[in-house]
């Protein structure tokens, strides 16, 4: 009989065991993978791991993404308090459960749960269900499965990341910042002990009220650490004397708009960014300082980008200022990502590309006289004209009219295409839509794109110098803000988009040419550092730009009002440049770019015109320019013939050739000469013609309008017919000029040759002549406004 019973026992024992085993493995299918599906806070870290900012999770909890490791002090505390045998049980501690059951029976109420950390993790994963026998058994079942799936380290990390810490604070990282204002690795023994006991009774925490129960639990744990020899008596005494947290701390917000930007694409993730915390903090201080300066003029907004060369990693990002008063001036708008009128800030790209195409030389004179293209009448910022100005000076002084002349020569469509290649993402219209205004603010640009475009220029030059003259594909790539972002694979290019020599020449123009008096004060901001910099101001004083480049950094600044309100005095030089130079003063000094000598040619040019010297050019100079120059010979040097006294010009028809004195003379066209001689005291006009000699040199030229095909005359505000002011340049002084419109005599002018016309719509002819017999006629068509 005993043998029979023993046999049946083993039979049914095996059946029960196998059934339980089957149930165990089937039941494991109900343990979710992953354990937690809750939403997480977005956590933004700097390049060295500091917390820049965070955004709350979708369920309004401060729940940071799971940690990779638990701080040692917190680890020691939580294991001492919750589960001293954590590393020695399979997820369930039968001894602890038995002890807890005895304590509960003895006390006739629940005074102990006997749960291991793994069982507590099970309860958290199941949504903290009611504590009863059924749920306890399920937690035991889950704990066994969790132990099979995860290592002890992973289990502890999951527990620390999802344990409740009172209110809407979940996880050790969030709790450390909310209650102690720092990272969990920096917590003291007292702080670590506080957080270790808190998940056991999270309702005990109430910052601002020193809860005796919480303090007793914490101090009891510290005493346990003393008894176990983890801490010494002095450490224990000092830890017990530490107060509990008295307030809930706001999380760091060192880069508010940048955090918003990252949150849009990396929501609920922990993102390791390229932001350099010391640089970001210093830029924040600089922005606040200048905000106080600018708000007196009701200029309320500012944005700054600092990017590193050649990595293009963003080291500082300030999307806007914040109001010191209670008013909101659009401060929550991220201006770094907002399209704004470009002003003059794109001019270096035209200069660079024309240099690269061999269409421009640095010292070559470019016209700077009144001009009109259809209904487009560009003006220089100071509303003055220079007649002609060297291209590099025109760039450094940001003169508008020379830039328009250059764009007309280069072509709007090619320049539009080049800007898109450089990374300007806001050019959504056709080239014809922008026209020549593209170079003067007719298009919008983002500060983000602009910083990337200038950074790319510097990167191309830096890479060329450091990689033995190699060019790589995708030279104009966007800035990088994610430290884990992989850079696109690059291949070597045979034909670069733009050469290093052209970029070097452009930076040189932005580096060495002195700013004009109209931009007074720039010297106050310039440091001893070499910085190639450019400013820009949009129409109506709505946007002020400044971008500076060194071999190590690009700093891009925008200043203005987010709502587009213009302010007098809101210019790139006065508003944005001081910010840019202050930021550079906080950055390390670096050596200047090396000259890309393999791509440069040393050539002779005419000293006065900047063109290649012709046979009549006497004064010459040697300059270094990119190879492939296509500029022609100077046309503005002439061979003239003077009488023996060199007081008058003569020719063979009126003076003996044997007595002539022959000289080379720099002669600009009349309209250019009219303004040029006012700005250049060394310019010498042609001597007068000897009486009796005939003139073969053009003496008259219209200054305005320059384009006569279609003249637009707007109607005045009061509804009356508009007027056309015609201006004429004459080489000679004290001459009388006679004006005719359609053969009707209008009047006479002397020295200052201007006349007011009110022609009817349609075709007309204007004729001017002087008392020397010089004549000039233009036919034009009037279009009413």
């Amino acid at each position: 009989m005993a043998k029979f019973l023993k046999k049946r026992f083993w039979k049914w024992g095996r059946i029960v065991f196998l059934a339980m085993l089957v149930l165990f493995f089937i039941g494991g299918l109900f343990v979710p993978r992953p354990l937690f599906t809750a939403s997480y806070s977005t956590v933004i870290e700097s390049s060295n791991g500091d917390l820049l900012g965070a955004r709350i999770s979708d369920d309004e909890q401060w729940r940071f993404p799971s940690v990779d490791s638990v701080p040692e002090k917190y680890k020691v505390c939580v294991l001492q308090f919750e589960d001293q045998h954590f590393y020695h049980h399979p997820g369930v501690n039968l001894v602890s459960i038995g002890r807890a059951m005895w304590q509960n029976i003895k006390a006739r109420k629940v005074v102990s749960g006997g749960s291991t950390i793994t069982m507590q993790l099970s309860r958290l994963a199941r949504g903290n269900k009611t504590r009863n026998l059924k749920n306890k058994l399920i937690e035991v079942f889950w704990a066994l499965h969790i132990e099979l799936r995860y290592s002890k380290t992973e289990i502890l990390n999951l527990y620390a990341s999802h344990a409740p810490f009172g209110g809407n604070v979940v996880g050790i990282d969030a709790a450390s910042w909310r209650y102690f204002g720092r990272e969990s690795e920096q917590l003291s023994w007292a702080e670590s002990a506080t957080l270790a006991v808190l998940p056991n009774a999270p309702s005990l925490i109430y910052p601002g009220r020193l809860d005796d129960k919480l303090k007793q639990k914490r101090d009891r744990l510290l005493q346990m650490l003393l008894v176990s020899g983890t801490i010494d008596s002095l450490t224990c005494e000092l830890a017990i004397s530490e107060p509990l947290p008295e307030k809930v701390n706001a999380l760091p917000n060192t880069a508010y708009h940048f955090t918003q930007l990252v949150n849009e694409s990396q929501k609920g993730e922990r993102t390791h960014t390229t932001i350099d915390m010391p640089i970001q903090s210093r830029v924040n201080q600089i922005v606040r300082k200048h905000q106080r300066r600018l708000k007196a003029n009701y200029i309320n907004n500012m944005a700054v980008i600092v990017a590193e060369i050649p990595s293009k990693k963003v080291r500082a990002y300030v999307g806007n200022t914040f109001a010191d008063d209670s008013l909101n001036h659009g401060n929550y708008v991220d201006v770094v990502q907002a399209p704004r009128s470009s002003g003059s800030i794109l001019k270096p790209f035209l200069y660079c590309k024309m240099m690269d195409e061999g269409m421009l030389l640095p010292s070559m004179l470019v016209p700077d006289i009144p001009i009109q293209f259809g209904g487009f009448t560009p003006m220089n910022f100071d509303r003055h004209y220079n007649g002609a100005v060297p291209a590099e000076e025109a760039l450094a002084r940001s003169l508008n009219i020379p830039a328009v002349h250059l764009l007309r020569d280069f072509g709007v469509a090619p320049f539009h295409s080049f800007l898109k290649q450089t990374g300007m993402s806001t050019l959504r219209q056709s080239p014809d839509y922008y026209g020549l205004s593209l170079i003067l603010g007719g298009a919008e640009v983002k500060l983000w794109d602009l910083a990337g475009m200038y950074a790319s220029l510097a990167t191309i030059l830096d890479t060329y110098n450091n990689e033995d003259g190699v060019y790589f594909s995708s030279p104009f790539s966007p800035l990088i803000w994610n430290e884990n972002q992989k850079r696109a694979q690059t291949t070597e290019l045979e034909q670069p988009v733009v050469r290093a020599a052209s970029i070097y020449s452009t930076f040189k123009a932005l580096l060495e040419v002195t700013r004009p008096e109209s931009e007074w004060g720039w010297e106050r901001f310039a440091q001893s550092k070499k910085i190639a910099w450019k400013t820009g101001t949009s129409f109506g004083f709505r946007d002020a730009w400044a971008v500076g480049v060194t071999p190590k950094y690009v700093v891009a600044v925008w200043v203005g009002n987010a709502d587009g309100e213009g302010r007098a005095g809101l210019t790139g030089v006065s508003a944005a440049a001081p910010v840019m130079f202050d930021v550079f003063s906080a950055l390390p000094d670096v050596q200047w770019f090396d000259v890309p000598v393999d791509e440069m040619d040393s050539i002779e040019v005419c000293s006065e015109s900047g063109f290649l010297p012709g046979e009549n050019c006497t004064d010459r100079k040697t300059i270094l320019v990119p190879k492939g120059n296509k500029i022609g010979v100077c046309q503005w040097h002439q061979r003239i013939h003077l009488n023996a006294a060199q007081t008058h010009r003569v020719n063979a028809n009126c003076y003996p050739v044997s007595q002539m004195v022959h000289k080379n003379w720099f002669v600009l066209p009349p309209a250019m000469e009219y303004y040029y001689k006012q700005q250049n005291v060394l310019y010498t006009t042609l001597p007068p013609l000897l009486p009796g000699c005939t003139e073969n040199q053009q003496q008259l030229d219209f200054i305005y309008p320059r384009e006569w095909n279609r003249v637009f005359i707007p109607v005045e505000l009061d509804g009356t017919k508009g007027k056309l002011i015609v201006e004429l340049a004459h080489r000679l002084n004290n001459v009388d000029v006679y004006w005719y419109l359609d053969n009707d005599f209008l009047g006479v002018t002397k020295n200052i040759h201007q006349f007011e016309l009110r022609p009817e719509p349609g075709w007309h002819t204007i004729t001017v002549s002087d008392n020397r017999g010089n004549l000039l006629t233009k036919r034009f068509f009037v279009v009413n406004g």
Side-chain angles (χ1 to χ4, degrees):
M1 184 68 179
K3 186 177 180 181
F4 174 76
L5 291 174
K6 183 177 180 182
K7 190 174 183 180
R8 288 183 62 85
F9 173 79
W10 281 109
K11 178 181 177 182
W12 285 105
R14 287 196 297 270
I15 292 172
V16 171
F17 176 77
L18 289 173
M20 292 180 64
L21 195 62
V22 170
L23 287 173
F24 179 79
F25 283 105
I26 292 175
L29 299 175
F30 295 94
V31 179
R33 296 172 185 249
L35 280 177
F36 296 93
T37 58
S39 60
Y40 293 98
S41 303
T42 305
V43 178
I44 314 300
E45 296 177 344
S46 69
S47 58
N48 54 356
D50 294 324
L51 182 63
L52 285 170
R55 293 294 177 266
I56 202 165
S57 65
D58 290 338
D59 59 352
E60 300 298 315
Q61 301 293 306
W62 286 112
R63 184 189 298 109
F64 286 14
S66 298
V67 296
D68 295 329
S69 60
V70 177
E72 189 62 29
K73 288 180 181 177
Y74 174 77
K75 177 181 174 181
V76 169
C77 289
V78 76
L79 292 181
Q80 181 71 48
F81 184 75
E82 295 283 7
D83 193 350
Q84 297 180 30
H85 303 286
F86 174 70
Y87 288 105
H88 304 101
H89 61 66
V92 178
N93 190 333
L94 296 178
V95 175
S96 297
I97 292 177
R99 183 173 60 250
M101 291 177 63
W102 171 250
Q103 291 175 348
N104 294 338
I105 293 171
K106 190 175 181 180
R108 295 185 178 181
K109 63 179 181 178
V110 177
V111 295
S112 177
S115 295
T116 62
I117 285 179
T118 313
M119 291 174 64
Q120 293 184 53
L121 180 62
S122 303
R123 184 168 66 251
L124 293 174
R126 297 184 66 238
N128 276 316
K129 295 187 181 298
T130 307
R131 296 187 180 186
N132 54 39
L133 181 59
K134 173 190 171 183
N135 287 328
K136 179 67 70 175
L137 291 174
I138 294 175
E139 288 167 14
V140 168
F141 184 79
W142 277 43
L144 295 172
H145 277 280
I146 289 172
E147 289 280 347
L148 289 174
R149 287 188 196 171
Y150 301 97
S151 68
K152 289 290 186 179
T153 299
E154 291 171 330
I155 292 171
L156 191 58
N157 291 345
L158 284 169
Y159 171 78
S161 299
H162 295 87
F165 286 88
N168 65 342
V169 181
V170 178
I172 178 66
D173 278 359
S176 178
W177 279 107
R178 293 292 277 169
Y179 297 135
F180 302 108
R182 55 181 172 274
E183 297 177 355
S184 56
E185 289 82 1
Q186 300 173 354
L187 295 178
S188 66
W189 279 110
E191 293 163 344
S192 298
T194 302
L195 295 184
V197 303
L198 200 51
N200 188 261
S203 60
L204 292 181
I205 191 76
Y206 191 90
R209 182 187 71 196
L210 297 180
D211 196 300
D212 290 337
K213 289 184 179 179
L214 178 60
K215 189 174 188 310
Q216 289 170 9
K217 289 168 73 75
R218 182 201 71 176
D219 293 350
R220 187 160 59 248
L221 173 56
L222 291 171
Q223 291 289 349
M224 292 169 64
L225 295 176
L226 175 63
V227 172
S228 66
T230 304
I231 59 177
D232 56 36
S233 58
L234 178 59
T235 302
C236 181
E237 183 180 346
L238 292 174
I240 289 174
S241 67
E242 283 190 32
L244 294 175
E246 298 181 357
K247 65 175 183 177
V248 175
N249 297 290
L251 291 171
N253 220 352
T254 310
Y256 173 85
H257 297 90
F258 179 70
T259 301
Q260 290 289 92
L261 173 71
V262 178
N263 186 49
E264 292 175 5
S265 60
Q266 308 286 113
K267 188 175 180 64
E269 299 179 20
R270 186 187 301 268
T271 303
H272 188 48
T273 73
T274 62
I275 299 295
D276 184 291
M277 180 64 88
I279 295 178
Q280 178 72 36
S281 299
R282 180 63 184 127
V283 172
N284 287 345
Q285 295 173 359
I286 291 169
V287 167
R288 284 193 292 270
K289 181 186 80 171
H290 286 280
Q291 180 186 12
R292 291 190 291 270
R293 172 179 67 90
L294 293 166
K295 68 182 294 186
N297 191 25
Y298 299 98
I299 300 170
N300 300 301
N301 305 106
M302 190 185 313
V304 180
I305 284 281
V306 179
E308 192 175 65
I309 304 298
S311 67
K312 295 186 184 175
K313 292 181 178 181
V314 177
R315 294 310 189 189
Y317 186 116
V318 177
N320 208 329
T321 56
F322 281 102
D324 295 330
D325 49 36
S326 59
L327 300 175
N328 177 15
H329 301 287
N331 305 103
Y332 290 95
V333 175
D334 184 356
V335 185
V336 169
Q337 303 296 334
R340 307 290 301 198
S341 175
S342 61
S344 300
I345 205 66
L346 300 176
K347 289 176 182 175
F349 291 90
L350 176 61
Y351 182 94
C352 182
K353 191 59 176 173
M354 290 189 72
M355 289 281 290
D356 200 59
E357 298 287 341
M359 299 173 64
L360 192 67
L361 292 176
S363 56
M364 143 187 162
L365 289 180
V366 183
D368 185 19
I369 56 178
I371 193 170
Q372 183 180 31
F373 297 98
F376 178 50
T377 306
M379 298 282 289
N380 289 328
F381 182 80
D382 59 5
R383 297 185 176 272
H384 289 90
Y385 306 98
N386 300 275
V389 64
E392 61 183 356
E393 183 180 335
L395 175 62
R397 293 175 57 185
S398 198
L399 297 175
N400 291 337
I401 293 175
V404 172
H405 276 283
L406 291 175
L407 180 56
R408 181 186 62 174
D409 294 342
F410 184 72
V412 175
F415 184 55
H416 180 275
S417 176
F418 176 61
L419 288 177
K420 294 184 78 170
Q421 281 184 288
T422 64
M424 189 169 168
S425 64
T426 49
L427 291 175
R428 299 184 178 92
Q429 305 296 333
S430 67
D432 291 340
Y433 175 86
Y434 301 105
L436 293 172
S437 69
L438 179 59
I439 198 65
L440 301 183
E444 294 182 323
V445 66
K446 297 178 183 178
L447 188 67
W448 176 264
D449 289 349
L450 192 66
M453 292 159 68
Y454 276 89
S456 293
L457 290 179
T459 298
I460 292 170
L461 179 54
D462 181 86
T463 303
Y464 179 89
N465 287 331
N466 293 325
E467 299 289 341
D468 296 325
V470 173
Y471 290 100
F472 293 104
S473 58
S474 303
F476 290 97
S477 56
L479 298 177
I480 295 172
W481 54 260
N482 190 334
E483 197 69 69
N484 298 320
Q485 179 180 344
K486 293 182 179 179
R487 299 189 67 177
Q489 293 293 323
T490 58
T491 56
E492 190 172 334
L493 287 178
E494 293 183 6
Q495 184 63 39
V497 178
V498 62
R499 291 175 296 164
S502 306
I503 298 171
Y504 180 85
S505 298
T506 303
F507 287 169
K508 185 173 181 291
L510 295 174
L511 178 69
E512 296 181 353
V513 182
T514 305
R515 272 56 174 172
E517 292 182 2
S518 60
E519 295 185 351
W520 70 272
W522 73 271
E523 294 177 26
R524 291 193 298 115
F525 313 127
Q527 310 284 317
S528 58
K529 298 178 181 179
K530 281 190 172 184
I531 302 170
W533 62 291
K534 181 73 183 72
T535 60
T537 306
S538 69
F539 178 77
F541 303 101
R542 293 180 174 89
D543 306 275
W545 304 89
V547 181
V549 181
T550 70
K552 183 65 175 176
Y553 293 102
V554 166
V555 176
V557 178
W558 173 90
V559 176
N561 287 310
D563 61 4
E565 179 188 0
R567 296 297 304 171
L570 177 61
T571 66
V573 167
S574 63
V579 182
M580 182 196 70
F581 280 111
D582 272 3
V583 172
F584 269 117
S585 69
L587 299 174
D589 292 339
V590 291
Q591 296 293 323
W592 189 241
F593 294 101
D594 294 330
V595 181
V597 291
D598 291 342
E599 289 188 339
M600 306 288 275
D601 269 342
S602 181
I603 65 170
E604 256 193 355
V605 295
C606 184
S607 298
E608 292 169 302
S609 70
F611 284 80
L612 297 182
E615 61 180 359
N616 297 325
C617 180
T618 304
D619 295 330
R620 307 181 182 195
K621 63 181 179 181
T622 301
I623 62 173
L624 200 62
V625 298
K627 291 180 178 179
N629 165 57
K630 302 174 186 175
I631 299 300
V633 176
C634 177
Q635 301 294 317
W636 293 334
H637 279 83
Q638 301 177 9
R639 188 77 166 170
I640 67 168
H641 314 292
L642 303 174
N643 60 359
Q646 300 186 30
T647 57
H648 290 79
R649 283 180 294 129
V650 296
N651 53 56
N653 296 326
C654 62
Y655 197 82
V657 175
S658 60
Q659 298 180 26
M660 290 182 184
V661 176
H662 310 288
K663 280 195 172 182
N664 295 328
W665 210 279
F666 178 50
V667 184
L668 289 172
M672 294 171 64
E673 181 183 86
Y674 177 77
Y675 293 101
Y676 188 82
K677 65 184 180 182
Q678 299 174 30
Q679 304 292 331
N680 298 269
V681 294
L682 297 180
Y683 179 81
T684 307
T685 57
L686 285 170
L689 197 66
L690 186 71
C693 292
T694 57
E695 179 67 70
N696 57 5
Q697 183 78 35
Q698 182 186 359
Q699 300 294 308
L700 302 171
D701 195 9
F702 284 110
I703 299 175
Y704 186 84
R706 299 289 295 173
E707 299 291 327
W708 286 91
N709 292 337
R710 295 172 66 86
V711 177
F712 178 80
I713 303 179
V715 176
E716 303 292 349
L717 292 176
D718 59 3
T720 60
K721 185 187 302 182
K723 57 188 177 181
L724 171 66
I725 305 295
V726 181
E727 187 170 3
L728 180 79
H730 200 298
R731 289 191 187 279
L732 305 178
N733 297 323
N734 298 318
V735 293
D736 295 329
V737 173
Y738 304 91
W739 297 74
Y740 299 85
L741 181 63
D742 300 328
N743 295 322
D744 293 330
F745 177 69
L746 300 177
V748 183
T749 58
K750 192 167 188 173
N751 292 329
I752 299 176
H753 304 292
Q754 291 181 343
F755 224 97
E756 181 180 304
L757 307 179
R758 294 183 183 270
E760 297 292 332
W763 285 102
H764 297 276
T765 301
I766 185 169
T767 305
V768 292
S769 63
D770 63 14
N771 52 2
R772 303 290 182 89
N774 296 298
L775 183 72
L776 185 63
T777 299
K778 288 288 183 182
R779 182 170 167 79
F780 63 98
F781 186 84
V782 173
V783 181
N784 263 1

